[in-house]
Amino acid sequence: MSTPATRPTSAQWPIAAAMLPFPASQDAPADTWVDHLAEVAYEGFTEVDLTDSWVQPGDLAPARLEELRDALVTVGLDPVALSAIRRSVIDPRTGDENLAYSHRTIDAAAALGVRVVSVGLHRPLLPAQREAFWFWTEEGPHDPTDPETWDRAVTRLRELGRHAAEVGVELSLEMYEDTLLGTAESAVRLVHDIGEANVGLNPDLGNLVRLHRPIEDFQAAVAACLPVSNYWHVKSYFRDEDRATGTYVALPAPMEMGAVSYRTAIRTAVESGFTGPFCVEHYGGDGLSVSARNARYIRRMLAVATGEARASVLAAAAAQR
């Protein structure tokens, strides 16, 4: 468990904005990258997650990678993390290609000064998901659960973890439904089986809260996952269940308003020793503005969880006596 001497203060804790709200910009001029990143910085962020739906650093030529580094310096953002999404290393069709891409991504991350690379086992959206208003309302691909598939995942993710360690980067495994990282029990087991000190979980439980089906208990999953987590994508959803009719509905929500209590979850995380960066995500509408609101909320909840809020209130009250 972390101690006050080893964990960041609530003000210092790295909270990154995901680049999900921005269009794919791989071939855009560097000035467009500056425009996008400046919007992030203007919302008060000092850290960013270089989500590869925006730019794929692992596929940039060296000169372009340097342009990306310069763009980050120009706007004053720290690229604390890089999330490679829908690039499963056990995809039955593109697993080998995704493994190679993940290695390139780790090298690019190290060149940019990134601290954490987040990867997952989720695959590209199916046609019905792409056509849906909210993609999570349609069922996506499922990972097989046979021992051979499990061993392949362990072997390949361990390989990535060892590469990441060699270049001074942590590897984080993003939870996602119907993959081998789709439940708390399976995700924690996978981290333990990989057995590398720099490999942890990204307990993106928002991916599970939004499902239009029964889900596991959110707080129990937080308690199980956070002790082995090193990065955390966070987002929330309004959720309603009518089990009598089998009706489940989920819509994106600011973290403080959604169906699950991040006040409780963040306290659990701090008590379990979590000191990794957060990344705020939001789908729909003005995702960046909601993400900025969520970042401010997280800082307040970190102050509560670390005892800073209590100390501040008591000091202020004492000063008035």
Side-chain angles (χ1 to χ4, degrees):
M1 181 177 295
S2 66
T3 66
T6 61
R7 70 182 177 223
T9 66
S10 61
Q12 296 167 338
W13 212 297
I15 302 175
M19 292 302 289
L20 286 171
F22 295 93
S25 302
Q26 184 76 1
D27 298 321
D31 199 50
T32 298
W33 294 348
V34 172
D35 286 345
H36 294 170
L37 293 168
E39 288 190 48
V40 172
Y42 184 72
E43 291 295 334
F45 288 98
T46 54
E47 290 88 18
V48 66
D49 179 315
L50 299 174
T51 321
D52 74 346
S53 57
W54 175 64
V55 170
Q56 301 90 54
D59 286 342
L60 291 175
R64 289 285 278 163
L65 193 64
E66 190 61 29
E67 285 183 325
L68 180 56
R69 179 200 287 272
D70 289 345
L72 290 160
V73 171
T74 297
V75 301
L77 283 175
D78 176 10
V80 71
L82 194 168
S83 290
I85 57 176
R86 303 193 183 282
R87 296 282 194 153
S88 171
V89 296
I90 58 169
D91 187 302
R93 294 188 305 104
T94 60
D96 292 347
E97 175 187 331
N98 291 342
L99 180 63
Y101 171 81
S102 299
H103 278 295
R104 296 195 304 274
T105 297
I106 289 169
D107 284 332
L112 290 168
V114 168
R115 172 176 161 186
V116 182
V117 171
S118 175
V119 300
L121 298 176
H122 40 309
R123 303 182 220 164
L125 298 175
L126 297 178
Q129 292 179 294
R130 292 196 298 270
E131 294 168 7
F133 189 85
W134 300 117
F135 65 84
W136 56 84
T137 62
E138 295 287 343
E139 196 162 336
H142 288 235
D143 280 345
T145 57
D146 59 279
E148 182 180 354
T149 301
W150 183 270
D151 290 344
R152 186 182 305 116
V154 169
T155 298
R156 291 190 164 194
L157 293 171
R158 183 185 290 140
E159 176 184 323
L160 292 179
R162 289 176 175 173
H163 176 192
E166 290 170 0
V167 295
V169 171
E170 293 183 63
L171 189 72
S172 197
L173 311 181
E174 181 182 352
M175 294 182 67
Y176 199 92
E177 77 268 13
D178 302 323
T179 72
L180 299 183
L181 291 160
T183 67
E185 184 278 330
S186 180
V188 171
R189 178 187 162 209
L190 191 60
V191 169
H192 286 311
D193 282 5
I194 292 167
E196 297 294 325
N198 69 316
V199 178
L201 274 187
N202 170 359
D204 192 344
L205 296 166
N207 289 340
L208 309 183
V209 168
R210 70 190 178 197
L211 297 177
H212 285 205
R213 60 172 109 152
I215 59 173
E216 66 180 306
D217 181 84
F218 176 79
Q219 300 299 345
V222 169
C225 294
L226 265 296
V228 297
S229 296
N230 57 1
Y231 187 45
W232 196 0
H233 286 177
V234 288
K235 53 184 175 281
S236 196
Y237 295 83
F238 298 113
R239 180 176 175 85
D240 187 40
E241 300 185 1
D242 183 348
R243 298 185 184 184
T245 62
T247 302
Y248 300 87
V249 177
L251 300 170
M255 287 174 64
E256 64 202 277
M257 298 179 183
V260 297
S261 172
Y262 274 98
R263 180 181 292 266
T264 300
I266 289 171
R267 186 186 297 276
T268 299
V270 169
E271 290 175 350
S272 70
F274 176 73
T275 58
F278 290 85
C279 173
V280 284
E281 300 180 321
H282 186 82
Y283 287 97
D286 183 353
L288 181 58
S289 288
V290 178
S291 293
R293 174 181 184 149
N294 286 343
R296 293 189 293 271
Y297 168 78
I298 291 169
R299 292 212 189 277
R300 297 202 328 268
M301 296 306 100
L302 285 169
V304 171
T306 60
E308 295 170 31
R310 180 181 188 275
S312 176
V313 168
L314 295 183
Q320 293 175 359
R321 288 200 294 268

